[in-house]
Amino acid sequence: MVTSALTLNGKNEKLSKRQKVVDDEDLISNLPESILSHILSLLPTKDAVRTCVLSTRWIYNWTFITTIDMNDTLPFGRRGCWKKKKEQFVNFVDKVLLHLANPSIERFSLSMTAYQNYDLVRVNAWISSVLRRGVQKLHIHLSKDVFVSSRSLFNCNSLLDLKLDVRCTLRVPSSHFLSNLKLLHLCGVKFLNDSFPHSTELVLNFPVLKEFKCICCKWLNAQCVSIETPQLESFHINSATFESLSNGISKYSVKINSSHLRKFSYSGYQLEDVILLNPSCVLVASIVNSFTRDEEYIMLEVQRKTCMLLAQLCEVERLKLEIYFMKFLARGRNLVASLPTFDKLIHLEIDSVFTPCETLLDLLHKTPSLESLTFKDVARFDKDLLASMVVPACISSNLKVVKLKAFEGVEHEIWLAKFFLENAKVLELMAITKYSRVFTCTDMAIVEQQLLSASKISSAATVKFLTVGTD
Ligand SMILES: *[C@@H]1O[C@H](CO)[C@@H](O)[C@H](O)[C@H]1NC(C)=O
Ligand SMILES: *[C@@H]1O[C@H](CO)[C@@H](O)[C@H](O)[C@H]1NC(C)=O
Ligand SMILES: *[C@@H]1O[C@H](CO)[C@@H](O)[C@H](O)[C@H]1NC(C)=O
Ligand SMILES: *[C@@H]1O[C@H](CO)[C@@H](O)[C@H](O)[C@H]1NC(C)=O
């Protein structure tokens, strides 16, 4: 009953005057204030504010809400042209922030992507006002550059959860402690040392941060970025910006200092050095490198940097690699050979295309404990190749699951599948996911029959064919 009067489902936005007379009103009005403001906080902010029409006694109750969601893509106000709608949105945010009676805000989310040319001074004033009220969760998504007051932000110690998807420049003060911040997701943010231009280093210091995602961020004028996060458990960096690619190899390094890091993921062109100060605690890692330029010297440098990062991760249990230049690695086989052994690696997924068979086997020689391998799109090779290769130890002693993705049923794929079936002594499952395109030249039914009846050294091994979407 309570929910029906308040239209909690959000779609039914008809909190009309007529409804104020329903019997439920007293029931709700008699709720303790803290519960009422909690209920109102669960409503879309727009509907919470609309409760002011319920009765004169209700005029100010909405002002005690603690979570505020402002999204300019949601249908707003009365009908009208976009200019009118944009204006209504801006006035609404103004009104809510002005009348808010609660001294603190638990969550403020501002998403402005539908309209152009907002008054950015006003937007900055909103953000500052929310920061002053000790907001705990702040999410901002703007499609435009905006000025965010760095001082207010870095002094906002109430922040637990900060997501900024905004093109803004943050000037990082030398001593800053977002001392309660646990989660930080940044996209498109630029950082600058507050002592600029007298510094080429940048230190980010978050004493209790657990999760840090940093997508297309830039470190202006910094050659060394240190991320000091003793509690950090999960770190993702994506540095794939077009700008970084056009500048060629950059000279900066990113250092991560956390003795609790369990999950690390890198995505980008690996133009920078990434240094983990405590690499041995990482259990799960992923490296996606989409570097595509073919100038030999840059390529070699990128390969070297990627191998350097990979070498640091030699104690992981799960590893995913999607490296575009994998297909060139056969030429630089000594790079793979120079990698350390990944003694604890149990699961390896290679999502690159045209991985040379030699490179795949070279990698498997480095992973003696491997139990599960997923890969796709191995490049064509000569039939004699497999006969001349030493069978990696993990295949003969540990490998239980092999997953081949994007299987087209061509000759070299069949040879490789048979190679695993003939050598993996404890294999339990070979799962083959067929490529979704139909090839007229391959009769998949014949290929399937051939592999299902192929000789298997492991009596427990089964071969399964899957179609995309079932694996
Ligand atoms: C709503 O606000 C009025 C006026 O501030 C107050 O007297 C009343 O207790 C509030 N009602 C509830 C349920 O919080
Ligand atoms: C804003 O609303 C749109 C459309 O309903 C939705 O896709 C988007 O995720 C929302 N943004 C936020 C930050 O909630
Ligand atoms: C800014 O640079 C100065 C001088 O190099 C350094 O002492 C300070 O720690 C840096 N501040 C930040 C936030 O990186
Ligand atoms: C890494 O962090 C620890 C603990 O916060 C600190 O004692 C140590 O000096 C840091 N190491 C480096 C190289 O900055």
Side-chain angles (χ1 to χ4, degrees):
M1 295 298 268
V2 172
T3 48
S4 71
L6 282 175
T7 65
L8 268 178
N9 72 17
K11 269 188 187 150
N12 179 1
E13 290 162 0
K14 293 195 192 74
L15 269 174
S16 66
K17 293 221 160 112
R18 191 166 45 80
Q19 272 173 293
K20 77 179 181 185
V21 293
V22 297
D23 298 342
D24 300 333
E25 195 218 322
D26 286 329
L27 218 164
I28 302 165
S29 298
N30 291 333
L31 287 170
E33 198 148 330
S34 60
I35 295 184
L36 183 74
S37 68
H38 181 72
I39 292 176
L40 289 181
S41 293
L42 294 174
L43 288 174
T45 305
K46 199 173 53 165
D47 294 340
V49 173
R50 283 189 189 180
T51 58
C52 71
V53 304
L54 285 176
S55 81
T56 46
R57 286 185 52 209
W58 274 82
I59 289 183
Y60 299 111
N61 292 105
W62 72 265
T63 63
F64 290 93
I65 55 174
T66 54
T67 71
I68 299 169
D69 259 305
M70 299 293 183
N71 188 337
D72 71 355
T73 60
L74 300 178
F76 230 87
R78 276 144 251 121
R79 262 159 252 109
C81 66
W82 68 267
K83 263 191 181 154
K84 193 93 192 139
K85 285 187 182 154
K86 179 182 147 194
E87 198 183 304
Q88 279 165 351
F89 175 77
V90 169
N91 291 340
F92 180 70
V93 182
D94 267 346
K95 176 182 160 186
V96 169
L97 289 178
L98 183 68
H99 291 286
L100 216 55
N102 237 343
S104 68
I105 297 180
E106 203 175 299
R107 192 177 64 139
F108 182 75
S109 150
L110 179 65
S111 175
M112 308 205 310
T113 52
Y115 309 113
Q116 302 285 320
N117 302 324
Y118 277 107
D119 174 1
L120 296 176
V121 175
R122 209 152 165 187
V123 175
N124 178 44
W126 295 341
I127 298 171
S128 297
S129 123
V130 167
L131 288 170
R132 273 198 306 277
R133 286 173 193 260
V135 65
Q136 293 173 13
K137 296 182 179 177
L138 178 64
H139 300 176
I140 302 179
H141 183 192
L142 290 182
S143 49
K144 278 278 164 198
D145 293 47
V146 70
F147 173 77
V148 175
S149 160
S150 305
R151 244 165 240 288
S152 319
L153 187 71
F154 284 105
N155 284 323
C156 186
N157 281 329
S158 57
L159 277 176
L160 300 177
D161 186 316
L162 176 63
K163 294 184 186 169
L164 294 179
D165 185 348
V166 193
R167 279 177 290 162
C168 66
T169 301
L170 296 178
R171 296 186 71 110
V172 188
S174 281
S175 61
H176 60 274
F177 303 98
L178 284 166
S179 53
N180 292 301
L181 193 67
K182 294 233 164 58
L183 181 142
L184 181 59
H185 289 186
L186 302 173
C187 181
V189 172
K190 299 183 193 108
F191 289 94
L192 184 62
N193 186 322
D194 204 21
S195 329
F196 174 79
H198 303 293
S199 172
T200 53
E201 69 167 322
L202 180 73
V203 184
L204 292 176
N205 210 319
F206 304 115
V208 299
L209 193 67
K210 299 248 189 245
E211 182 182 322
F212 189 7
K213 267 191 198 170
C214 174
I215 297 169
C216 299
C217 291
K218 282 184 208 141
W219 327 97
L220 303 175
N221 214 47
Q223 279 166 18
C224 176
V225 180
S226 299
I227 298 175
E228 292 290 331
T229 43
Q231 305 290 321
L232 194 69
E233 289 170 4
S234 166
F235 180 67
H236 171 71
I237 181 168
N238 179 331
S239 60
T241 60
F242 286 108
E243 207 170 299
S244 63
L245 199 54
S246 64
N247 289 340
I249 289 288
S250 53
K251 295 271 186 290
Y252 76 96
S253 61
V254 178
K255 284 188 194 152
I256 301 119
N257 185 5
S258 163
S259 51
H260 288 84
L261 196 64
R262 295 288 176 267
K263 216 174 147 195
F264 170 84
S265 115
Y266 175 88
S267 161
Y269 307 122
Q270 194 81 58
L271 302 170
E272 71 284 75
D273 286 317
V274 177
I275 297 156
L276 300 168
L277 293 185
N278 309 83
S280 63
C281 51
V282 180
L283 300 178
V284 180
S286 144
I287 300 180
V288 177
N289 191 316
S290 36
F291 187 80
T292 51
R293 292 238 299 255
D294 48 11
E295 288 103 315
E296 186 93 9
Y297 81 99
I298 297 188
M299 177 57 84
L300 284 174
E301 188 63 8
V302 168
Q303 287 185 7
R304 195 187 59 77
K305 287 185 182 213
T306 303
C307 287
M308 233 178 70
L309 176 58
L310 200 50
Q312 295 177 66
L313 296 166
C314 64
E315 293 192 48
V316 293
E317 291 176 1
R318 301 178 70 86
L319 179 64
K320 181 178 169 185
L321 298 174
E322 186 179 343
I323 297 176
Y324 173 80
F325 58 75
M326 201 82 129
K327 64 179 175 185
F328 301 117
L329 273 184
R331 275 197 263 145
R333 279 184 76 178
N334 52 351
L335 271 177
V336 178
S338 71
L339 287 174
T341 314
F342 290 68
D343 283 316
K344 299 179 183 161
L345 192 69
I346 300 209
H347 179 86
L348 174 64
E349 178 169 353
I350 300 176
D351 231 354
S352 319
V353 288
F354 306 125
T355 307
C357 185
E358 301 93 311
T359 307
L360 177 69
L361 293 178
D362 284 351
L363 275 172
L364 294 182
H365 277 294
K366 299 283 180 185
T367 60
S369 318
L370 200 70
E371 290 179 9
S372 148
L373 170 70
T374 302
F375 65 95
K376 69 176 186 188
D377 267 343
V378 167
R380 274 174 200 282
F381 55 86
D382 291 335
K383 191 170 190 186
D384 306 337
L385 180 83
L386 285 171
S388 68
M389 300 291 281
V390 178
V391 179
C394 67
I395 299 187
S396 21
S397 56
N398 290 312
L399 201 63
K400 295 198 180 86
V401 177
V402 176
K403 291 185 180 170
L404 268 103
K405 297 203 301 186
F407 185 79
E408 296 174 35
V410 285
E411 229 175 12
H412 69 279
E413 290 176 304
I414 298 169
W415 299 334
L416 193 55
K418 283 186 174 168
F419 175 78
F420 281 105
L421 292 174
E422 283 161 13
N423 291 291
K425 296 202 178 89
V426 294
L427 189 73
E428 289 167 8
L429 173 68
M430 176 175 281
I432 300 175
T433 310
K434 290 177 279 184
Y435 198 65
S436 48
R437 244 187 310 161
V438 178
F439 285 89
T440 45
C441 53
T442 314
D443 188 338
M444 201 53 103
I446 293 177
V447 172
E448 283 186 28
Q449 206 43 54
Q450 211 182 332
L451 284 175
L452 288 170
S453 59
S455 71
K456 305 170 185 75
I457 191 163
S458 160
S459 53
T462 50
V463 177
K464 268 191 191 152
F465 282 86
L466 309 164
T467 34
V468 179
T470 56
D471 57 336

